[in-house]
Amino acid sequence: MATNATTVFPRNFVWGAATASYQIEGAVDEGGRGLSIWDTFARTPGKVLNGDTGDIACDHYHRFGEDVGLMRELGIDSYRFSIAWPRMQPEGKGELNPDGLRFYSALLDRLESQQITPFPTLYHWDLPQSLGDQGGWTSRETSYRFADYVDKLVDALGPRVGQWITLNEPWCSAWLGYAVGQHAPGLTDLPAALAANHHLLLAHGLAVQAIRASSTAEVGITLNLAHVTPASEDPLDRQAAIFTEGNANRMFLDPLFRGAYPADMMELYGEATAEMEEGDLGVISTTIDFLGVNYYAPAIVGSRERLTELQALGYCVDTGRAPNLLDTTARAIHLKRPGFTSTQMGWEVEPATLTELLHNVRDQYRSIPIYITENGMSNADYVRHNGSVLDPARIAYLEGHLHAVAEAIASGVDVRGYYVWSLLDNFEWALGYSQRFGLIWVDYPTGERTPKASYYWYRDFIAAQAPLPRDRGVTSATMTLPA
Ligand code: FCB
């Protein structure tokens, strides 16, 4: 797919790459860090593929200087990372841990010295275990603990950060964590998932208010929005798609932008719906400055009751997608289309759905600055005998999705930036180290980093944009792809 990016991306468009604390840092027992629910989950046999944990991960805690160097060579404007709550507040309460502060201050210093703007996420799933022990996100108290934590953190690091993301993908925290059991803490309990859904949003709203009270920084939230297509025109399939989209998108966008949960979803969940207090929805819908959108793949959904007919049409069940989630709610099932290209995760590649999704958000809610805070693919990469990693499928994926973003911008969607997931190969949650999403290959036994072909491609793509008034010495000659 051809991209003529020089003409389609605004001059001040932000080019970035993203990571998250538990997925890259390692050093789980260092610097006074407390346990997180992901330490516990990953150490529980059978929860993570191959028994992998984030204990060492990419050892970014010790190698962050080298990683910032690689960012500089890549030429990104901005780095999205997350701050580990258990590193900053080991027990989820009380004063901030000085060693944690030192680590993130050093990272911010290093980014600043390379003129890379920090774009930190305040919560990317590593909840302190002590809060997990008290009910985690099923407990309303966790929302207050988060607001208190954010208040302290913004006081400490705030002057150096111009934009904060409160939560990463609360859908995953609530639904994969509490309904499907695929993520920490591993529950399969619908009322717990609905309580978590509400308390995460409440935590977000309280955090927005805390940040506004003490700083002029911009604040937003990152959602993993779904593009859902019914498998057929059959009313049962269409209804399944509506509920799936409601669960993934409207359960978050409606309270955030309209101050109400969607009526059809409330009716569907009935008695399982979370308890709320008066005023909660007002807090949740506190105005935000931008919306972060993570996007990977489209969803095709049918009704479980029609599975035989759908299979006769050539669909097969998408076993990689939250298998028992929708079954407990809407009798919906995720399907894969015959003959569609998929990534190693089994996720279908259809970039145009990203453009449509961005149109839908603007048309159904409001025009708001949007950052694509994650987009990328896992691939069966390997290091060749000459030391190079060739990943043409990833280059095509990124090119296709950048084209989709450019199309959205051309049709008036206010997209301000794009972050590749991920800078580095890393710990892919329940799939451990089996999925490589990085622009940079990581040799886990040694920690050695090798930029892949897609890294050089992205570097050249960024460099080909209308030159920004920046001087960070990035030239195409700085690094060259081994022959
Ligand atoms: C997203 C997560 C991110 C990463 C990618 C592949 O859901 O936010 O941490 O695992 O998927």
Side-chain angles (χ1 to χ4, degrees), residues 138-253:
T138 65
S139 162
R140 191 178 170 90
E141 181 59 19
T142 302
S143 313
Y144 297 118
R145 298 263 50 88
F146 182 67
D148 167 74
Y149 161 59
V150 169
D151 188 40
K152 292 184 165 123
L153 190 73
V154 169
D155 263 359
L157 297 177
R160 312 176 59 190
V161 173
Q163 287 177 310
W164 296 99
I165 298 171
T166 54
L167 306 178
N168 178 70
E169 302 188 353
W171 181 88
C172 291
S173 301
W175 293 87
L176 294 182
Y178 294 84
V180 178
Q182 234 167 40
H183 281 186
L187 300 192
T188 48
D189 176 346
L190 180 62
L194 283 156
N197 192 321
H198 184 65
H199 295 142
L200 280 151
L201 285 172
L202 182 63
H204 154 80
L206 293 167
V208 174
Q209 296 186 344
I211 295 169
R212 294 244 191 279
S214 64
S215 97
T216 54
E218 289 189 358
V219 53
I221 185 170
T222 279
L223 303 177
N224 52 318
L225 296 177
H227 179 286
V228 185
T229 307
S232 82
E233 288 301 305
D234 187 284
L236 286 174
D237 292 335
R238 291 176 67 87
Q239 187 57 63
I242 290 170
F243 282 144
T244 303
E245 195 272 339
N247 171 264
N249 298 352
R250 290 182 288 116
M251 283 295 286
F252 298 89
L253 291 169

Side-chain angles (χ1 to χ4, degrees), residues 72-340:
R72 176 198 163 92
E73 295 293 340
L74 182 57
I76 52 175
D77 304 304
S78 172
Y79 173 47
R80 175 177 180 238
F81 59 100
S82 78
I83 296 178
W85 188 353
R87 216 178 262 301
M88 298 302 285
Q89 238 186 2
E91 299 297 317
K93 60 176 190 210
E95 291 319 304
L96 296 183
N97 168 27
D99 282 347
L101 263 178
R102 254 192 293 283
F103 170 67
Y104 291 108
S105 300
L107 174 62
L108 289 175
D109 285 344
R110 192 60 75 101
L111 290 169
E112 198 179 332
S113 74
Q114 303 304 327
Q115 294 166 272
I116 298 170
T117 307
F119 197 18
T121 303
L122 291 158
Y123 182 74
H124 198 129
W125 307 352
D126 38 3
L127 185 73
Q129 181 60 51
S130 51
L131 297 182
D133 295 341
Q134 295 158 47
W137 290 109
T138 65
S139 162
R140 191 178 170 90
E141 181 59 19
T142 302
S143 313
Y144 297 118
R145 298 263 50 88
F146 182 67
D148 167 74
Y149 161 59
V150 169
D151 188 40
K152 292 184 165 123
L153 190 73
V154 169
D155 263 359
L157 297 177
R160 312 176 59 190
V161 173
Q163 287 177 310
W164 296 99
I165 298 171
T166 54
L167 306 178
N168 178 70
E169 302 188 353
W171 181 88
C172 291
S173 301
W175 293 87
L176 294 182
Y178 294 84
V180 178
Q182 234 167 40
H183 281 186
L187 300 192
T188 48
D189 176 346
L190 180 62
L194 283 156
N197 192 321
H198 184 65
H199 295 142
L200 280 151
L201 285 172
L202 182 63
H204 154 80
L206 293 167
V208 174
Q209 296 186 344
I211 295 169
R212 294 244 191 279
S214 64
S215 97
T216 54
E218 289 189 358
V219 53
I221 185 170
T222 279
L223 303 177
N224 52 318
L225 296 177
H227 179 286
V228 185
T229 307
S232 82
E233 288 301 305
D234 187 284
L236 286 174
D237 292 335
R238 291 176 67 87
Q239 187 57 63
I242 290 170
F243 282 144
T244 303
E245 195 272 339
N247 171 264
N249 298 352
R250 290 182 288 116
M251 283 295 286
F252 298 89
L253 291 169
D254 280 20
L256 287 166
F257 292 109
R258 297 183 180 153
Y261 282 104
D264 63 332
M265 301 310 290
M266 293 294 95
E267 195 180 319
L268 174 72
Y269 296 131
E271 287 183 358
T273 300
E275 269 179 41
M276 286 174 230
E277 290 185 10
E278 219 181 309
D280 282 3
L281 284 157
V283 173
I284 292 170
S285 56
T286 306
T287 307
I288 49 176
D289 301 296
F290 63 85
L291 176 67
V293 174
N294 290 353
Y295 191 73
Y296 290 91
I300 309 298
V301 167
S303 158
R304 190 174 279 276
E305 285 153 61
R306 289 190 10 91
L307 188 53
T308 315
E309 287 100 310
L310 292 168
Q311 280 170 329
L313 291 174
Y315 288 111
C316 53
V317 176
D318 186 351
T319 46
R321 294 257 207 163
N324 52 352
L325 158 70
L326 296 158
D327 200 28
T328 59
T329 56
R331 307 215 33 88
I333 190 157
H334 278 280
L335 299 162
K336 287 179 67 152
R337 290 172 284 189
F340 236 81

Side-chain angles (χ1 to χ4, degrees), residues 19-20 23 80 124-125 168-169 171-172 176 183 222 224 294-296 345 347 373-378 421-422 426-429 435 437:
T19 65
Q23 294 179 276
R80 175 177 180 238
H124 198 129
W125 307 352
N168 178 70
E169 302 188 353
W171 181 88
C172 291
L176 294 182
H183 281 186
T222 279
N224 52 318
N294 290 353
Y295 191 73
Y296 290 91
M345 290 289 276
W347 294 348
T373 39
E374 287 180 24
N375 175 242
M377 69 173 277
S378 68
W421 184 272
S422 176
N426 61 50
F427 176 81
E428 178 46 35
W429 307 113
Q435 302 293 318
F437 276 88

Side-chain angles (χ1 to χ4, degrees), residues 17-47:
T19 65
S21 49
Y22 188 70
Q23 294 179 276
I24 64 163
E25 283 180 6
V28 292
D29 295 325
E30 287 180 55
R33 178 186 178 277
L35 267 188
S36 83
I37 58 172
W38 265 96
D39 295 293
T40 308
F41 189 73
R43 290 169 188 175
T44 308
K47 298 297 186 194

